[in-house]
mmCIF file of all heavy atoms in Angstrom:
data_model
loop_
_atom_site.group_PDB
_atom_site.id
_atom_site.type_symbol
_atom_site.label_atom_id
_atom_site.label_comp_id
_atom_site.label_asym_id
_atom_site.label_seq_id
_atom_site.Cartn_x
_atom_site.Cartn_y
_atom_site.Cartn_z
ATOM 1 N N GLY A 796 88.889 125.287 107.093
ATOM 2 C CA GLY A 796 88.058 125.056 105.936
ATOM 3 C C GLY A 796 86.558 124.832 106.319
ATOM 4 O O GLY A 796 86.345 124.838 107.509
ATOM 5 N N PRO A 797 85.700 124.823 105.243
ATOM 6 C CA PRO A 797 84.236 124.688 105.646
ATOM 7 C C PRO A 797 83.958 123.464 106.446
ATOM 8 O O PRO A 797 84.618 122.476 106.243
ATOM 9 C CB PRO A 797 83.594 124.754 104.170
ATOM 10 C CG PRO A 797 84.675 125.348 103.334
ATOM 11 C CD PRO A 797 85.977 124.953 103.904
ATOM 12 N N SER A 798 82.924 123.461 107.334
ATOM 13 C CA SER A 798 82.553 122.241 107.934
ATOM 14 C C SER A 798 81.906 121.281 106.999
ATOM 15 O O SER A 798 81.281 121.540 105.969
ATOM 16 C CB SER A 798 81.469 122.602 109.091
ATOM 17 O OG SER A 798 81.118 121.426 109.665
ATOM 18 N N PHE A 799 82.062 119.949 107.353
ATOM 19 C CA PHE A 799 81.371 118.971 106.678
ATOM 20 C C PHE A 799 79.923 118.707 107.003
ATOM 21 O O PHE A 799 79.176 118.032 106.361
ATOM 22 C CB PHE A 799 82.097 117.540 106.870
ATOM 23 C CG PHE A 799 83.374 117.468 106.125
ATOM 24 C CD1 PHE A 799 84.432 116.629 106.669
ATOM 25 C CD2 PHE A 799 83.712 118.246 105.042
ATOM 26 C CE1 PHE A 799 85.661 116.510 106.009
ATOM 27 C CE2 PHE A 799 84.911 118.077 104.400
ATOM 28 C CZ PHE A 799 86.005 117.291 104.864
ATOM 29 N N GLN A 800 79.441 119.387 108.080
ATOM 30 C CA GLN A 800 78.161 119.254 108.451
ATOM 31 C C GLN A 800 77.175 119.732 107.445
ATOM 32 O O GLN A 800 77.350 120.879 107.023
ATOM 33 C CB GLN A 800 77.839 119.996 109.752
ATOM 34 C CG GLN A 800 76.523 119.716 110.386
ATOM 35 C CD GLN A 800 76.196 120.567 111.638
ATOM 36 O OE1 GLN A 800 76.386 121.769 111.654
ATOM 37 N NE2 GLN A 800 75.694 119.890 112.724
ATOM 38 N N LYS A 801 76.295 118.863 106.985
ATOM 39 C CA LYS A 801 75.283 119.273 105.982
ATOM 40 C C LYS A 801 75.941 119.824 104.803
ATOM 41 O O LYS A 801 75.438 120.825 104.155
ATOM 42 C CB LYS A 801 74.217 120.254 106.529
ATOM 43 C CG LYS A 801 73.536 119.575 107.747
ATOM 44 C CD LYS A 801 72.540 120.632 108.226
ATOM 45 C CE LYS A 801 71.651 119.942 109.277
ATOM 46 N NZ LYS A 801 70.887 120.957 110.121
ATOM 47 N N ILE A 802 77.041 119.372 104.373
ATOM 48 C CA ILE A 802 77.760 119.964 103.303
ATOM 49 C C ILE A 802 77.105 119.631 101.969
ATOM 50 O O ILE A 802 77.097 120.468 101.015
ATOM 51 C CB ILE A 802 79.229 119.516 103.188
ATOM 52 C CG1 ILE A 802 79.992 120.387 102.200
ATOM 53 C CG2 ILE A 802 79.395 118.075 102.985
ATOM 54 C CD1 ILE A 802 81.488 120.191 102.209
ATOM 55 N N PHE A 803 76.485 118.433 101.871
ATOM 56 C CA PHE A 803 76.063 117.960 100.561
ATOM 57 C C PHE A 803 74.745 118.762 100.244
ATOM 58 O O PHE A 803 73.789 118.819 100.901
ATOM 59 C CB PHE A 803 75.750 116.539 100.508
ATOM 60 C CG PHE A 803 75.596 115.901 99.059
ATOM 61 C CD1 PHE A 803 76.720 116.016 98.213
ATOM 62 C CD2 PHE A 803 74.402 115.398 98.588
ATOM 63 C CE1 PHE A 803 76.585 115.499 96.904
ATOM 64 C CE2 PHE A 803 74.361 114.920 97.296
ATOM 65 C CZ PHE A 803 75.413 114.964 96.482
ATOM 66 N N GLY A 804 74.780 119.426 98.991
ATOM 67 C CA GLY A 804 73.613 120.164 98.572
ATOM 68 C C GLY A 804 73.579 121.577 98.996
ATOM 69 O O GLY A 804 72.702 122.371 98.613
ATOM 70 N N ARG A 805 74.516 121.937 99.954
ATOM 71 C CA ARG A 805 74.602 123.338 100.506
ATOM 72 C C ARG A 805 74.943 124.226 99.480
ATOM 73 O O ARG A 805 75.635 123.964 98.523
ATOM 74 C CB ARG A 805 75.726 123.266 101.580
ATOM 75 C CG ARG A 805 75.665 124.515 102.366
ATOM 76 C CD ARG A 805 76.595 124.312 103.709
ATOM 77 N NE ARG A 805 77.961 124.175 103.487
ATOM 78 C CZ ARG A 805 78.674 123.585 104.376
ATOM 79 N NH1 ARG A 805 78.322 123.114 105.465
ATOM 80 N NH2 ARG A 805 80.016 123.424 104.053
ATOM 81 N N ALA A 806 74.352 125.499 99.541
ATOM 82 C CA ALA A 806 74.666 126.552 98.709
ATOM 83 C C ALA A 806 75.895 127.307 99.138
ATOM 84 O O ALA A 806 76.026 127.490 100.375
ATOM 85 C CB ALA A 806 73.536 127.555 98.410
ATOM 86 N N GLU A 807 76.871 127.465 98.386
ATOM 87 C CA GLU A 807 78.223 128.086 98.881
ATOM 88 C C GLU A 807 78.390 129.264 97.976
ATOM 89 O O GLU A 807 78.375 129.188 96.779
ATOM 90 C CB GLU A 807 79.365 127.082 98.750
ATOM 91 C CG GLU A 807 79.226 125.979 99.737
ATOM 92 C CD GLU A 807 79.779 126.341 101.156
ATOM 93 O OE1 GLU A 807 79.423 127.326 101.531
ATOM 94 O OE2 GLU A 807 80.234 125.307 101.800
ATOM 95 N N LYS A 808 78.946 130.263 98.553
ATOM 96 C CA LYS A 808 79.269 131.482 97.803
ATOM 97 C C LYS A 808 80.820 131.352 97.696
ATOM 98 O O LYS A 808 81.547 131.103 98.605
ATOM 99 C CB LYS A 808 79.052 132.800 98.598
ATOM 100 C CG LYS A 808 78.952 133.880 97.619
ATOM 101 C CD LYS A 808 78.298 135.215 98.389
ATOM 102 C CE LYS A 808 78.660 136.356 97.516
ATOM 103 N NZ LYS A 808 78.795 137.630 98.220
ATOM 104 N N LEU A 809 81.268 131.519 96.405
ATOM 105 C CA LEU A 809 82.822 131.292 96.126
ATOM 106 C C LEU A 809 83.512 132.658 96.282
ATOM 107 O O LEU A 809 82.841 133.745 96.205
ATOM 108 C CB LEU A 809 83.045 130.651 94.859
ATOM 109 C CG LEU A 809 82.390 129.209 94.678
ATOM 110 C CD1 LEU A 809 82.743 128.660 93.259
ATOM 111 C CD2 LEU A 809 82.873 128.374 95.801
ATOM 112 N N SER A 810 84.715 132.592 96.312
ATOM 113 C CA SER A 810 85.618 133.819 96.488
ATOM 114 C C SER A 810 85.576 134.719 95.272
ATOM 115 O O SER A 810 85.837 135.997 95.305
ATOM 116 C CB SER A 810 87.045 133.507 96.818
ATOM 117 O OG SER A 810 87.557 132.557 95.790
ATOM 118 N N ASP A 811 85.093 134.130 94.045
ATOM 119 C CA ASP A 811 84.907 134.941 92.977
ATOM 120 C C ASP A 811 83.638 135.565 92.746
ATOM 121 O O ASP A 811 83.232 136.200 91.849
ATOM 122 C CB ASP A 811 85.316 134.233 91.691
ATOM 123 C CG ASP A 811 84.327 133.106 91.328
ATOM 124 O OD1 ASP A 811 83.449 132.942 92.189
ATOM 125 O OD2 ASP A 811 84.496 132.338 90.406
ATOM 126 N N GLY A 812 82.787 135.377 93.827
ATOM 127 C CA GLY A 812 81.441 135.944 93.862
ATOM 128 C C GLY A 812 80.322 135.205 93.317
ATOM 129 O O GLY A 812 79.191 135.320 93.630
ATOM 130 N N SER A 813 80.717 134.031 92.609
ATOM 131 C CA SER A 813 79.678 133.140 92.143
ATOM 132 C C SER A 813 79.122 132.298 93.218
ATOM 133 O O SER A 813 79.726 132.146 94.225
ATOM 134 C CB SER A 813 80.236 132.337 90.931
ATOM 135 O OG SER A 813 81.332 131.495 91.517
ATOM 136 N N GLU A 814 77.982 131.585 92.970
ATOM 137 C CA GLU A 814 77.339 130.753 93.912
ATOM 138 C C GLU A 814 77.212 129.417 93.322
ATOM 139 O O GLU A 814 76.814 129.263 92.103
ATOM 140 C CB GLU A 814 76.007 131.237 94.288
ATOM 141 C CG GLU A 814 76.129 132.036 95.614
ATOM 142 C CD GLU A 814 74.754 132.244 96.149
ATOM 143 O OE1 GLU A 814 74.007 131.217 96.400
ATOM 144 O OE2 GLU A 814 74.448 133.450 96.479
ATOM 145 N N ILE A 815 77.413 128.257 94.096
ATOM 146 C CA ILE A 815 77.284 127.018 93.631
ATOM 147 C C ILE A 815 76.582 126.234 94.568
ATOM 148 O O ILE A 815 76.395 126.677 95.720
ATOM 149 C CB ILE A 815 78.658 126.273 93.326
ATOM 150 C CG1 ILE A 815 79.552 126.425 94.575
ATOM 151 C CG2 ILE A 815 79.492 126.788 92.234
ATOM 152 C CD1 ILE A 815 79.815 125.012 95.267
ATOM 153 N N SER A 816 76.112 125.013 94.253
ATOM 154 C CA SER A 816 75.594 124.205 95.234
ATOM 155 C C SER A 816 76.380 122.976 95.276
ATOM 156 O O SER A 816 77.000 122.443 94.095
ATOM 157 C CB SER A 816 74.104 123.852 94.915
ATOM 158 O OG SER A 816 73.862 122.507 94.668
ATOM 159 N N VAL A 817 76.746 122.401 96.382
ATOM 160 C CA VAL A 817 77.705 121.267 96.484
ATOM 161 C C VAL A 817 77.146 119.891 95.960
ATOM 162 O O VAL A 817 76.267 119.422 96.476
ATOM 163 C CB VAL A 817 78.177 121.143 97.973
ATOM 164 C CG1 VAL A 817 79.117 119.868 98.131
ATOM 165 C CG2 VAL A 817 78.788 122.397 98.511
ATOM 166 N N THR A 818 77.634 119.609 94.828
ATOM 167 C CA THR A 818 77.265 118.454 94.161
ATOM 168 C C THR A 818 78.423 117.408 94.354
ATOM 169 O O THR A 818 79.580 117.754 94.759
ATOM 170 C CB THR A 818 77.119 118.628 92.669
ATOM 171 O OG1 THR A 818 78.289 119.203 92.074
ATOM 172 C CG2 THR A 818 76.008 119.531 92.455
ATOM 173 N N GLU A 819 78.164 116.086 93.798
ATOM 174 C CA GLU A 819 79.195 115.146 93.895
ATOM 175 C C GLU A 819 80.432 115.691 93.062
ATOM 176 O O GLU A 819 81.586 115.418 93.393
ATOM 177 C CB GLU A 819 78.588 113.734 93.320
ATOM 178 C CG GLU A 819 79.769 112.712 93.317
ATOM 179 C CD GLU A 819 79.243 111.342 92.955
ATOM 180 O OE1 GLU A 819 78.012 111.198 93.041
ATOM 181 O OE2 GLU A 819 80.077 110.562 92.410
ATOM 182 N N GLU A 820 80.041 116.201 91.793
ATOM 183 C CA GLU A 820 81.152 116.708 90.962
ATOM 184 C C GLU A 820 81.967 117.782 91.584
ATOM 185 O O GLU A 820 83.227 117.693 91.544
ATOM 186 C CB GLU A 820 80.435 117.315 89.808
ATOM 187 C CG GLU A 820 81.205 117.359 88.588
ATOM 188 C CD GLU A 820 80.357 118.114 87.401
ATOM 189 O OE1 GLU A 820 79.285 118.491 87.677
ATOM 190 O OE2 GLU A 820 81.025 118.079 86.370
ATOM 191 N N TYR A 821 81.377 118.707 92.386
ATOM 192 C CA TYR A 821 82.079 119.735 93.108
ATOM 193 C C TYR A 821 82.974 119.087 94.112
ATOM 194 O O TYR A 821 84.111 119.508 94.354
ATOM 195 C CB TYR A 821 81.191 120.776 93.730
ATOM 196 C CG TYR A 821 81.857 121.695 94.592
ATOM 197 C CD1 TYR A 821 82.474 122.742 94.073
ATOM 198 C CD2 TYR A 821 81.776 121.564 95.982
ATOM 199 C CE1 TYR A 821 83.176 123.688 94.949
ATOM 200 C CE2 TYR A 821 82.421 122.463 96.831
ATOM 201 C CZ TYR A 821 83.076 123.480 96.358
ATOM 202 O OH TYR A 821 83.780 124.328 97.228
ATOM 203 N N LEU A 822 82.327 118.182 94.957
ATOM 204 C CA LEU A 822 83.224 117.496 95.992
ATOM 205 C C LEU A 822 84.533 116.848 95.317
ATOM 206 O O LEU A 822 85.507 116.956 95.792
ATOM 207 C CB LEU A 822 82.398 116.317 96.668
ATOM 208 C CG LEU A 822 81.303 116.876 97.557
ATOM 209 C CD1 LEU A 822 80.455 115.717 98.057
ATOM 210 C CD2 LEU A 822 81.934 117.661 98.839
ATOM 211 N N ARG A 823 84.231 116.120 94.285
ATOM 212 C CA ARG A 823 85.378 115.385 93.575
ATOM 213 C C ARG A 823 86.475 116.342 93.109
ATOM 214 O O ARG A 823 87.552 116.254 93.423
ATOM 215 C CB ARG A 823 84.858 114.630 92.338
ATOM 216 C CG ARG A 823 85.695 113.580 91.732
ATOM 217 C CD ARG A 823 85.160 112.887 90.651
ATOM 218 N NE ARG A 823 83.782 112.170 91.093
ATOM 219 C CZ ARG A 823 83.865 110.850 91.494
ATOM 220 N NH1 ARG A 823 85.150 110.274 91.545
ATOM 221 N NH2 ARG A 823 82.808 110.241 92.005
ATOM 222 N N GLU A 824 85.984 117.438 92.514
ATOM 223 C CA GLU A 824 86.929 118.503 92.047
ATOM 224 C C GLU A 824 87.624 119.101 93.166
ATOM 225 O O GLU A 824 88.909 119.356 93.152
ATOM 226 C CB GLU A 824 86.290 119.606 91.361
ATOM 227 C CG GLU A 824 87.085 120.758 90.805
ATOM 228 C CD GLU A 824 86.285 121.807 90.134
ATOM 229 O OE1 GLU A 824 85.863 122.691 90.878
ATOM 230 O OE2 GLU A 824 86.079 121.725 88.987
ATOM 231 N N SER A 825 86.925 119.391 94.266
ATOM 232 C CA SER A 825 87.606 120.014 95.458
ATOM 233 C C SER A 825 88.532 119.115 96.207
ATOM 234 O O SER A 825 89.495 119.616 96.930
ATOM 235 C CB SER A 825 86.448 120.462 96.449
ATOM 236 O OG SER A 825 85.477 121.448 95.833
ATOM 237 N N ILE A 826 88.431 117.776 96.002
ATOM 238 C CA ILE A 826 89.423 116.928 96.675
ATOM 239 C C ILE A 826 90.613 116.815 95.763
ATOM 240 O O ILE A 826 91.745 116.917 96.142
ATOM 241 C CB ILE A 826 88.835 115.467 96.984
ATOM 242 C CG1 ILE A 826 87.636 115.623 97.958
ATOM 243 C CG2 ILE A 826 89.802 114.632 97.484
ATOM 244 C CD1 ILE A 826 86.842 114.453 98.265
ATOM 245 N N LEU A 827 90.342 116.659 94.350
ATOM 246 C CA LEU A 827 91.475 116.408 93.522
ATOM 247 C C LEU A 827 92.217 117.763 93.213
ATOM 248 O O LEU A 827 93.457 117.769 92.982
ATOM 249 C CB LEU A 827 90.915 115.843 92.173
ATOM 250 C CG LEU A 827 90.310 114.425 92.386
ATOM 251 C CD1 LEU A 827 89.638 113.940 91.092
ATOM 252 C CD2 LEU A 827 91.396 113.490 92.735
ATOM 253 N N ASP A 828 91.461 118.883 93.100
ATOM 254 C CA ASP A 828 92.095 120.092 92.771
ATOM 255 C C ASP A 828 91.656 121.173 93.821
ATOM 256 O O ASP A 828 90.808 122.064 93.459
ATOM 257 C CB ASP A 828 91.707 120.533 91.343
ATOM 258 C CG ASP A 828 92.641 121.600 90.854
ATOM 259 O OD1 ASP A 828 93.394 122.165 91.624
ATOM 260 O OD2 ASP A 828 92.366 122.051 89.694
ATOM 261 N N PRO A 829 92.127 121.111 95.012
ATOM 262 C CA PRO A 829 91.486 121.799 96.132
ATOM 263 C C PRO A 829 91.333 123.339 95.998
ATOM 264 O O PRO A 829 90.384 123.980 96.531
ATOM 265 C CB PRO A 829 92.370 121.463 97.377
ATOM 266 C CG PRO A 829 93.092 120.340 96.973
ATOM 267 C CD PRO A 829 93.264 120.236 95.517
ATOM 268 N N ASN A 830 92.279 123.864 95.294
ATOM 269 C CA ASN A 830 92.288 125.357 95.204
ATOM 270 C C ASN A 830 91.639 125.976 94.052
ATOM 271 O O ASN A 830 91.696 127.174 93.825
ATOM 272 C CB ASN A 830 93.633 125.887 95.540
ATOM 273 C CG ASN A 830 94.150 125.391 96.977
ATOM 274 O OD1 ASN A 830 93.277 125.348 97.846
ATOM 275 N ND2 ASN A 830 95.331 125.012 97.182
ATOM 276 N N LYS A 831 91.042 125.216 93.257
ATOM 277 C CA LYS A 831 90.407 125.719 92.116
ATOM 278 C C LYS A 831 89.228 126.554 92.369
ATOM 279 O O LYS A 831 89.104 127.683 91.766
ATOM 280 C CB LYS A 831 89.957 124.431 91.178
ATOM 281 C CG LYS A 831 89.560 124.868 89.787
ATOM 282 C CD LYS A 831 89.612 123.687 88.960
ATOM 283 C CE LYS A 831 89.015 124.089 87.486
ATOM 284 N NZ LYS A 831 88.613 122.808 86.783
ATOM 285 N N LYS A 832 88.467 126.144 93.274
ATOM 286 C CA LYS A 832 87.292 126.972 93.765
ATOM 287 C C LYS A 832 87.400 127.087 95.214
ATOM 288 O O LYS A 832 87.413 126.173 95.977
ATOM 289 C CB LYS A 832 86.002 126.406 93.489
ATOM 290 C CG LYS A 832 85.713 126.304 91.918
ATOM 291 C CD LYS A 832 84.397 125.762 91.569
ATOM 292 C CE LYS A 832 84.120 125.735 90.048
ATOM 293 N NZ LYS A 832 83.652 124.420 89.721
ATOM 294 N N ILE A 833 87.476 128.356 95.751
ATOM 295 C CA ILE A 833 87.522 128.592 97.242
ATOM 296 C C ILE A 833 86.248 129.104 97.662
ATOM 297 O O ILE A 833 85.783 130.247 97.142
ATOM 298 C CB ILE A 833 88.709 129.534 97.469
ATOM 299 C CG1 ILE A 833 90.054 128.699 97.075
ATOM 300 C CG2 ILE A 833 88.761 129.890 98.892
ATOM 301 C CD1 ILE A 833 90.308 127.606 97.891
#
Side-chain angles (χ1 to χ4, degrees):
S798 173
F799 287 154
Q800 188 185 48
K801 299 185 179 161
I802 190 171
F803 196 64
R805 186 164 71 199
E807 295 277 34
K808 203 169 166 211
L809 300 182
S810 55
D811 64 4
S813 63
E814 263 194 53
I815 52 114
S816 115
V817 176
T818 57
E819 179 173 340
E820 205 182 1
Y821 171 78
L822 288 173
R823 196 176 295 272
E824 179 186 89
S825 299
I826 296 173
L827 295 175
D828 191 359
N830 297 323
K831 195 163 168 194
K832 293 184 182 135
I833 295 296

